[in-house]
mmCIF file of all heavy atoms in Angstrom:
data_model
loop_
_atom_site.group_PDB
_atom_site.id
_atom_site.type_symbol
_atom_site.label_atom_id
_atom_site.label_comp_id
_atom_site.label_asym_id
_atom_site.label_seq_id
_atom_site.Cartn_x
_atom_site.Cartn_y
_atom_site.Cartn_z
ATOM 1 N N GLU W 1209 0.841 -1.109 0.035
ATOM 2 C CA GLU W 1209 -0.053 -0.017 0.067
ATOM 3 C C GLU W 1209 1.010 1.245 -0.005
ATOM 4 O O GLU W 1209 1.862 1.267 0.712
ATOM 5 C CB GLU W 1209 -0.852 -0.013 1.198
ATOM 6 C CG GLU W 1209 -1.820 -1.244 1.239
ATOM 7 C CD GLU W 1209 -2.640 -1.351 2.590
ATOM 8 O OE1 GLU W 1209 -2.651 -0.381 3.387
ATOM 9 O OE2 GLU W 1209 -3.272 -2.436 2.686
ATOM 10 N N PHE W 1210 0.521 2.223 -0.839
ATOM 11 C CA PHE W 1210 1.340 3.379 -0.950
ATOM 12 C C PHE W 1210 0.446 4.693 -1.070
ATOM 13 O O PHE W 1210 -0.688 4.608 -1.285
ATOM 14 C CB PHE W 1210 2.270 3.261 -2.171
ATOM 15 C CG PHE W 1210 1.489 3.387 -3.466
ATOM 16 C CD1 PHE W 1210 1.126 4.379 -4.170
ATOM 17 C CD2 PHE W 1210 1.064 2.223 -3.972
ATOM 18 C CE1 PHE W 1210 0.442 4.552 -5.256
ATOM 19 C CE2 PHE W 1210 0.244 2.070 -5.208
ATOM 20 C CZ PHE W 1210 -0.009 3.351 -5.812
ATOM 21 N N SER W 1211 1.192 5.864 -0.844
ATOM 22 C CA SER W 1211 0.629 7.166 -1.152
ATOM 23 C C SER W 1211 1.591 7.942 -1.737
ATOM 24 O O SER W 1211 2.798 7.790 -1.564
ATOM 25 C CB SER W 1211 0.131 7.839 0.198
ATOM 26 O OG SER W 1211 1.089 7.939 1.085
ATOM 27 N N ALA W 1212 1.168 8.846 -2.624
ATOM 28 C CA ALA W 1212 2.139 9.679 -3.377
ATOM 29 C C ALA W 1212 1.641 11.038 -3.345
ATOM 30 O O ALA W 1212 0.383 11.335 -3.637
ATOM 31 C CB ALA W 1212 2.360 9.241 -4.910
ATOM 32 N N THR W 1213 2.396 12.094 -3.214
ATOM 33 C CA THR W 1213 2.127 13.524 -3.282
ATOM 34 C C THR W 1213 2.756 14.193 -4.484
ATOM 35 O O THR W 1213 3.890 13.840 -4.896
ATOM 36 C CB THR W 1213 2.425 14.197 -1.998
ATOM 37 O OG1 THR W 1213 3.895 14.167 -1.837
ATOM 38 C CG2 THR W 1213 1.698 13.705 -0.815
ATOM 39 N N ASP W 1214 1.978 15.036 -5.121
ATOM 40 C CA ASP W 1214 2.580 15.853 -6.241
ATOM 41 C C ASP W 1214 1.839 17.257 -6.288
ATOM 42 O O ASP W 1214 1.355 17.724 -5.161
ATOM 43 C CB ASP W 1214 2.292 15.106 -7.615
ATOM 44 C CG ASP W 1214 0.953 14.736 -7.868
ATOM 45 O OD1 ASP W 1214 -0.031 15.344 -7.364
ATOM 46 O OD2 ASP W 1214 0.832 13.687 -8.599
ATOM 47 N N ASP W 1215 1.525 17.828 -7.411
ATOM 48 C CA ASP W 1215 1.044 19.128 -7.484
ATOM 49 C C ASP W 1215 -0.443 19.066 -7.296
ATOM 50 O O ASP W 1215 -1.073 20.093 -7.506
ATOM 51 C CB ASP W 1215 1.460 19.796 -8.675
ATOM 52 C CG ASP W 1215 0.998 19.193 -9.977
ATOM 53 O OD1 ASP W 1215 0.445 18.056 -9.864
ATOM 54 O OD2 ASP W 1215 1.176 19.678 -11.119
ATOM 55 N N GLN W 1216 -0.990 17.995 -6.993
ATOM 56 C CA GLN W 1216 -2.484 17.849 -6.850
ATOM 57 C C GLN W 1216 -2.849 18.120 -5.428
ATOM 58 O O GLN W 1216 -1.996 17.920 -4.529
ATOM 59 C CB GLN W 1216 -3.031 16.476 -7.265
ATOM 60 C CG GLN W 1216 -2.769 16.171 -8.810
ATOM 61 C CD GLN W 1216 -3.370 17.131 -9.636
ATOM 62 O OE1 GLN W 1216 -4.618 17.291 -9.574
ATOM 63 N NE2 GLN W 1216 -2.688 17.751 -10.575
ATOM 64 N N PRO W 1217 -4.143 18.577 -5.092
ATOM 65 C CA PRO W 1217 -4.496 18.908 -3.786
ATOM 66 C C PRO W 1217 -4.504 17.734 -2.731
ATOM 67 O O PRO W 1217 -4.365 17.839 -1.503
ATOM 68 C CB PRO W 1217 -5.796 19.606 -3.884
ATOM 69 C CG PRO W 1217 -6.234 19.203 -5.226
ATOM 70 C CD PRO W 1217 -5.168 18.927 -6.070
ATOM 71 N N SER W 1218 -4.873 16.513 -3.230
ATOM 72 C CA SER W 1218 -4.950 15.255 -2.425
ATOM 73 C C SER W 1218 -3.913 14.324 -2.876
ATOM 74 O O SER W 1218 -3.623 14.151 -4.056
ATOM 75 C CB SER W 1218 -6.273 14.659 -2.471
ATOM 76 O OG SER W 1218 -7.185 15.612 -2.100
ATOM 77 N N PRO W 1219 -3.372 13.446 -1.903
ATOM 78 C CA PRO W 1219 -2.449 12.420 -2.320
ATOM 79 C C PRO W 1219 -3.023 11.356 -3.058
ATOM 80 O O PRO W 1219 -4.307 11.111 -2.839
ATOM 81 C CB PRO W 1219 -1.734 12.065 -0.943
ATOM 82 C CG PRO W 1219 -2.808 12.373 0.042
ATOM 83 C CD PRO W 1219 -3.460 13.643 -0.429
ATOM 84 N N LEU W 1220 -2.420 10.649 -3.900
ATOM 85 C CA LEU W 1220 -2.902 9.380 -4.589
ATOM 86 C C LEU W 1220 -2.588 8.265 -3.516
ATOM 87 O O LEU W 1220 -1.581 8.222 -2.958
ATOM 88 C CB LEU W 1220 -2.064 9.127 -5.859
ATOM 89 C CG LEU W 1220 -2.256 7.785 -6.549
ATOM 90 C CD1 LEU W 1220 -3.629 7.722 -7.156
ATOM 91 C CD2 LEU W 1220 -1.167 7.548 -7.495
ATOM 92 N N ARG W 1221 -3.578 7.507 -3.386
ATOM 93 C CA ARG W 1221 -3.447 6.333 -2.536
ATOM 94 C C ARG W 1221 -3.795 5.127 -3.386
ATOM 95 O O ARG W 1221 -4.729 5.166 -4.190
ATOM 96 C CB ARG W 1221 -4.273 6.354 -1.221
ATOM 97 C CG ARG W 1221 -3.944 7.475 -0.379
ATOM 98 C CD ARG W 1221 -4.748 7.377 0.913
ATOM 99 N NE ARG W 1221 -4.311 8.594 1.692
ATOM 100 C CZ ARG W 1221 -3.316 8.828 2.481
ATOM 101 N NH1 ARG W 1221 -2.374 7.931 2.443
ATOM 102 N NH2 ARG W 1221 -3.214 9.872 3.197
ATOM 103 N N GLY W 1222 -3.014 3.957 -3.101
ATOM 104 C CA GLY W 1222 -3.414 2.738 -3.896
ATOM 105 C C GLY W 1222 -2.568 1.567 -3.314
ATOM 106 O O GLY W 1222 -1.845 1.716 -2.286
ATOM 107 N N TRP W 1223 -2.577 0.486 -4.002
ATOM 108 C CA TRP W 1223 -1.794 -0.743 -3.627
ATOM 109 C C TRP W 1223 -1.547 -1.490 -4.992
ATOM 110 O O TRP W 1223 -2.281 -1.362 -5.915
ATOM 111 C CB TRP W 1223 -2.630 -1.501 -2.576
ATOM 112 C CG TRP W 1223 -3.962 -2.101 -2.978
ATOM 113 C CD1 TRP W 1223 -5.159 -1.266 -2.813
ATOM 114 C CD2 TRP W 1223 -4.246 -3.245 -3.760
ATOM 115 N NE1 TRP W 1223 -6.161 -2.190 -3.295
ATOM 116 C CE2 TRP W 1223 -5.635 -3.227 -3.872
ATOM 117 C CE3 TRP W 1223 -3.483 -4.301 -4.121
ATOM 118 C CZ2 TRP W 1223 -6.273 -4.339 -4.486
ATOM 119 C CZ3 TRP W 1223 -4.100 -5.396 -4.820
ATOM 120 C CH2 TRP W 1223 -5.510 -5.394 -4.932
ATOM 121 N N VAL W 1224 -0.455 -2.177 -4.789
ATOM 122 C CA VAL W 1224 -0.013 -3.168 -5.851
ATOM 123 C C VAL W 1224 0.057 -4.509 -5.327
ATOM 124 O O VAL W 1224 0.761 -4.692 -4.266
ATOM 125 C CB VAL W 1224 1.235 -2.768 -6.518
ATOM 126 C CG1 VAL W 1224 1.829 -3.856 -7.490
ATOM 127 C CG2 VAL W 1224 1.150 -1.438 -7.259
ATOM 128 N N GLY W 1225 -0.652 -5.484 -5.856
ATOM 129 C CA GLY W 1225 -0.501 -6.941 -5.270
ATOM 130 C C GLY W 1225 0.593 -7.594 -6.235
ATOM 131 O O GLY W 1225 0.751 -7.620 -7.396
ATOM 132 N N GLY W 1226 1.626 -8.166 -5.393
ATOM 133 C CA GLY W 1226 2.684 -8.880 -6.048
ATOM 134 C C GLY W 1226 3.662 -7.837 -6.787
ATOM 135 O O GLY W 1226 4.146 -7.084 -6.326
ATOM 136 N N THR W 1227 3.726 -8.027 -8.176
ATOM 137 C CA THR W 1227 4.575 -7.107 -8.928
ATOM 138 C C THR W 1227 3.615 -6.223 -9.828
ATOM 139 O O THR W 1227 2.447 -6.649 -10.076
ATOM 140 C CB THR W 1227 5.546 -7.897 -9.839
ATOM 141 O OG1 THR W 1227 4.807 -8.752 -10.710
ATOM 142 C CG2 THR W 1227 6.507 -8.605 -9.010
ATOM 143 N N GLY W 1228 4.068 -5.133 -10.326
ATOM 144 C CA GLY W 1228 3.305 -4.256 -11.090
ATOM 145 C C GLY W 1228 4.020 -2.909 -11.334
ATOM 146 O O GLY W 1228 5.084 -2.757 -10.863
ATOM 147 N N THR W 1229 3.238 -2.025 -11.980
ATOM 148 C CA THR W 1229 3.737 -0.661 -12.109
ATOM 149 C C THR W 1229 2.730 0.404 -11.802
ATOM 150 O O THR W 1229 1.516 0.149 -11.811
ATOM 151 C CB THR W 1229 4.180 -0.424 -13.601
ATOM 152 O OG1 THR W 1229 2.986 -0.552 -14.447
ATOM 153 C CG2 THR W 1229 5.298 -1.406 -13.959
ATOM 154 N N VAL W 1230 3.231 1.548 -11.492
ATOM 155 C CA VAL W 1230 2.263 2.727 -11.173
ATOM 156 C C VAL W 1230 2.945 3.912 -11.794
ATOM 157 O O VAL W 1230 4.283 4.102 -11.797
ATOM 158 C CB VAL W 1230 2.211 2.916 -9.586
ATOM 159 C CG1 VAL W 1230 1.574 4.318 -9.312
ATOM 160 C CG2 VAL W 1230 1.454 1.867 -8.959
ATOM 161 N N GLN W 1231 2.069 4.755 -12.448
ATOM 162 C CA GLN W 1231 2.695 6.047 -12.966
ATOM 163 C C GLN W 1231 1.769 7.168 -12.215
ATOM 164 O O GLN W 1231 0.632 7.055 -12.216
ATOM 165 C CB GLN W 1231 2.508 6.240 -14.460
ATOM 166 C CG GLN W 1231 3.465 5.257 -15.093
ATOM 167 C CD GLN W 1231 3.705 5.658 -16.547
ATOM 168 O OE1 GLN W 1231 4.723 5.877 -17.065
ATOM 169 N NE2 GLN W 1231 2.609 5.737 -17.383
ATOM 170 N N THR W 1232 2.406 8.126 -11.635
ATOM 171 C CA THR W 1232 1.754 9.209 -11.005
ATOM 172 C C THR W 1232 2.661 10.443 -11.054
ATOM 173 O O THR W 1232 3.847 10.367 -11.039
ATOM 174 C CB THR W 1232 1.468 8.934 -9.535
ATOM 175 O OG1 THR W 1232 0.832 10.049 -8.908
ATOM 176 C CG2 THR W 1232 2.691 8.552 -8.751
ATOM 177 N N GLY W 1233 2.027 11.545 -11.222
ATOM 178 C CA GLY W 1233 2.889 12.837 -11.378
ATOM 179 C C GLY W 1233 3.794 12.594 -12.516
ATOM 180 O O GLY W 1233 3.394 12.345 -13.544
ATOM 181 N N ASP W 1234 5.134 12.796 -12.294
ATOM 182 C CA ASP W 1234 6.078 12.620 -13.264
ATOM 183 C C ASP W 1234 7.072 11.437 -13.006
ATOM 184 O O ASP W 1234 8.253 11.347 -13.435
ATOM 185 C CB ASP W 1234 6.844 13.904 -13.499
ATOM 186 C CG ASP W 1234 7.505 14.377 -12.243
ATOM 187 O OD1 ASP W 1234 7.294 13.790 -11.166
ATOM 188 O OD2 ASP W 1234 8.293 15.430 -12.398
ATOM 189 N N ILE W 1235 6.536 10.445 -12.279
ATOM 190 C CA ILE W 1235 7.285 9.153 -11.931
ATOM 191 C C ILE W 1235 6.673 7.993 -12.361
ATOM 192 O O ILE W 1235 5.429 7.920 -12.498
ATOM 193 C CB ILE W 1235 7.678 9.114 -10.467
ATOM 194 C CG1 ILE W 1235 6.348 8.959 -9.587
ATOM 195 C CG2 ILE W 1235 8.617 10.195 -9.925
ATOM 196 C CD1 ILE W 1235 6.584 8.599 -8.141
ATOM 197 N N HIS W 1236 7.424 7.032 -12.632
ATOM 198 C CA HIS W 1236 7.017 5.712 -13.066
ATOM 199 C C HIS W 1236 7.747 4.652 -12.047
ATOM 200 O O HIS W 1236 8.911 4.869 -11.736
ATOM 201 C CB HIS W 1236 7.587 5.241 -14.427
ATOM 202 C CG HIS W 1236 7.367 3.805 -14.926
ATOM 203 N ND1 HIS W 1236 6.287 3.503 -15.627
ATOM 204 C CD2 HIS W 1236 7.962 2.749 -14.668
ATOM 205 C CE1 HIS W 1236 6.257 2.210 -15.807
ATOM 206 N NE2 HIS W 1236 7.304 1.641 -15.267
ATOM 207 N N VAL W 1237 6.880 3.739 -11.485
ATOM 208 C CA VAL W 1237 7.439 2.948 -10.310
ATOM 209 C C VAL W 1237 7.203 1.551 -10.748
ATOM 210 O O VAL W 1237 6.088 1.103 -10.993
ATOM 211 C CB VAL W 1237 6.733 3.249 -8.982
ATOM 212 C CG1 VAL W 1237 7.441 2.441 -7.881
ATOM 213 C CG2 VAL W 1237 6.773 4.790 -8.758
ATOM 214 N N ASP W 1238 8.233 0.693 -10.813
ATOM 215 C CA ASP W 1238 8.092 -0.780 -10.898
ATOM 216 C C ASP W 1238 8.208 -1.384 -9.558
ATOM 217 O O ASP W 1238 9.071 -1.020 -8.834
ATOM 218 C CB ASP W 1238 9.270 -1.335 -11.785
ATOM 219 C CG ASP W 1238 9.052 -0.867 -13.224
ATOM 220 O OD1 ASP W 1238 7.979 -0.988 -13.818
ATOM 221 O OD2 ASP W 1238 10.045 -0.385 -13.857
ATOM 222 N N PHE W 1239 7.203 -2.284 -9.161
ATOM 223 C CA PHE W 1239 7.229 -2.958 -7.960
ATOM 224 C C PHE W 1239 7.774 -4.423 -8.236
ATOM 225 O O PHE W 1239 7.341 -5.063 -9.135
ATOM 226 C CB PHE W 1239 5.833 -3.103 -7.464
ATOM 227 C CG PHE W 1239 5.268 -1.782 -6.861
ATOM 228 C CD1 PHE W 1239 4.920 -0.786 -7.755
ATOM 229 C CD2 PHE W 1239 5.075 -1.692 -5.535
ATOM 230 C CE1 PHE W 1239 4.417 0.281 -7.227
ATOM 231 C CE2 PHE W 1239 4.505 -0.463 -4.944
ATOM 232 C CZ PHE W 1239 4.097 0.532 -5.947
ATOM 233 N N ASP W 1240 8.768 -4.872 -7.336
ATOM 234 C CA ASP W 1240 9.284 -6.219 -7.514
ATOM 235 C C ASP W 1240 9.247 -6.881 -6.070
ATOM 236 O O ASP W 1240 9.542 -6.141 -5.133
ATOM 237 C CB ASP W 1240 10.605 -6.206 -8.029
ATOM 238 C CG ASP W 1240 11.116 -7.555 -8.441
ATOM 239 O OD1 ASP W 1240 10.382 -8.606 -8.412
ATOM 240 O OD2 ASP W 1240 12.387 -7.628 -8.699
ATOM 241 N N ARG W 1241 8.863 -8.075 -6.026
ATOM 242 C CA ARG W 1241 8.843 -8.805 -4.789
ATOM 243 C C ARG W 1241 9.830 -10.055 -4.907
ATOM 244 O O ARG W 1241 9.284 -11.155 -5.239
ATOM 245 C CB ARG W 1241 7.525 -9.257 -4.313
ATOM 246 C CG ARG W 1241 6.784 -8.023 -3.961
ATOM 247 C CD ARG W 1241 5.692 -8.163 -2.924
ATOM 248 N NE ARG W 1241 6.096 -8.533 -1.698
ATOM 249 C CZ ARG W 1241 5.123 -8.367 -0.620
ATOM 250 N NH1 ARG W 1241 3.979 -7.845 -0.823
ATOM 251 N NH2 ARG W 1241 5.587 -8.754 0.567
ATOM 252 N N PRO W 1242 11.125 -9.939 -4.851
ATOM 253 C CA PRO W 1242 11.946 -11.048 -5.137
ATOM 254 C C PRO W 1242 11.798 -12.300 -4.231
ATOM 255 O O PRO W 1242 12.170 -13.336 -4.538
ATOM 256 C CB PRO W 1242 13.396 -10.540 -5.040
ATOM 257 C CG PRO W 1242 13.312 -9.209 -4.380
ATOM 258 C CD PRO W 1242 11.857 -8.772 -4.461
ATOM 259 N N ASP W 1243 11.328 -11.969 -2.985
ATOM 260 C CA ASP W 1243 10.922 -13.002 -2.066
ATOM 261 C C ASP W 1243 9.914 -12.577 -1.137
ATOM 262 O O ASP W 1243 9.487 -11.496 -1.290
ATOM 263 C CB ASP W 1243 12.210 -13.425 -1.340
ATOM 264 C CG ASP W 1243 12.971 -12.311 -0.594
ATOM 265 O OD1 ASP W 1243 12.252 -11.572 0.131
ATOM 266 O OD2 ASP W 1243 14.174 -12.207 -0.804
ATOM 267 N N ASP W 1244 9.516 -13.391 -0.233
ATOM 268 C CA ASP W 1244 8.391 -13.042 0.657
ATOM 269 C C ASP W 1244 8.712 -11.861 1.546
ATOM 270 O O ASP W 1244 7.751 -11.316 2.104
ATOM 271 C CB ASP W 1244 7.902 -14.286 1.519
ATOM 272 C CG ASP W 1244 7.317 -15.372 0.605
ATOM 273 O OD1 ASP W 1244 6.846 -14.982 -0.419
ATOM 274 O OD2 ASP W 1244 7.107 -16.532 0.975
ATOM 275 N N GLU W 1245 9.898 -11.607 1.807
ATOM 276 C CA GLU W 1245 10.346 -10.637 2.859
ATOM 277 C C GLU W 1245 10.666 -9.323 2.333
ATOM 278 O O GLU W 1245 10.713 -8.315 3.001
ATOM 279 C CB GLU W 1245 11.492 -11.222 3.630
ATOM 280 C CG GLU W 1245 11.144 -12.560 4.328
ATOM 281 C CD GLU W 1245 12.402 -13.185 4.904
ATOM 282 O OE1 GLU W 1245 13.485 -12.635 4.908
ATOM 283 O OE2 GLU W 1245 12.220 -14.279 5.443
ATOM 284 N N ARG W 1246 10.848 -9.121 1.103
ATOM 285 C CA ARG W 1246 11.392 -7.820 0.525
ATOM 286 C C ARG W 1246 10.590 -7.353 -0.596
ATOM 287 O O ARG W 1246 10.105 -7.999 -1.379
ATOM 288 C CB ARG W 1246 12.843 -8.075 0.088
ATOM 289 C CG ARG W 1246 13.755 -8.514 1.197
ATOM 290 C CD ARG W 1246 15.178 -8.731 0.870
ATOM 291 N NE ARG W 1246 15.266 -9.678 -0.331
ATOM 292 C CZ ARG W 1246 15.896 -9.228 -1.430
ATOM 293 N NH1 ARG W 1246 16.527 -8.157 -1.480
ATOM 294 N NH2 ARG W 1246 15.959 -10.111 -2.508
#
Protein backbone atom coordinates (compact mmCIF):
# COMPACT_ATOMS: atom_id res chain seq x y z
CA GLU A 1 0.00 0.00 0.00
CA PHE A 2 1.37 3.42 -0.94
CA SER A 3 0.59 7.11 -1.15
CA ALA A 4 2.14 9.71 -3.42
CA THR A 5 2.08 13.49 -3.33
CA ASP A 6 2.53 15.86 -6.25
CA ASP A 7 1.03 19.12 -7.44
CA GLN A 8 -2.53 17.87 -6.85
CA PRO A 9 -4.46 18.90 -3.70
CA SER A 10 -4.90 15.32 -2.41
CA PRO A 11 -2.39 12.46 -2.32
CA LEU A 12 -2.84 9.45 -4.56
CA ARG A 13 -3.42 6.30 -2.52
CA GLY A 14 -3.32 2.79 -3.87
CA TRP A 15 -1.84 -0.67 -3.68
CA VAL A 16 -0.07 -3.17 -5.90
CA GLY A 17 -0.44 -6.92 -5.38
CA GLY A 18 2.71 -8.89 -6.14
CA THR A 19 4.53 -7.11 -8.96
CA GLY A 20 3.31 -4.27 -11.12
CA THR A 21 3.76 -0.66 -12.12
CA VAL A 22 2.35 2.72 -11.16
CA GLN A 23 2.63 6.08 -12.90
CA THR A 24 1.78 9.23 -11.00
CA GLY A 25 2.87 12.82 -11.35
CA ASP A 26 6.08 12.58 -13.31
CA ILE A 27 7.34 9.23 -11.94
CA HIS A 28 7.07 5.63 -13.08
CA VAL A 29 7.44 2.95 -10.37
CA ASP A 30 8.09 -0.77 -10.92
CA PHE A 31 7.25 -3.01 -7.95
CA ASP A 32 9.22 -6.24 -7.47
CA ARG A 33 8.93 -8.85 -4.72
CA PRO A 34 12.01 -11.04 -5.16
CA ASP A 35 10.99 -13.05 -2.09
CA ASP A 36 8.35 -13.04 0.66
CA GLU A 37 10.28 -10.66 2.88
CA ARG A 38 11.43 -7.87 0.57
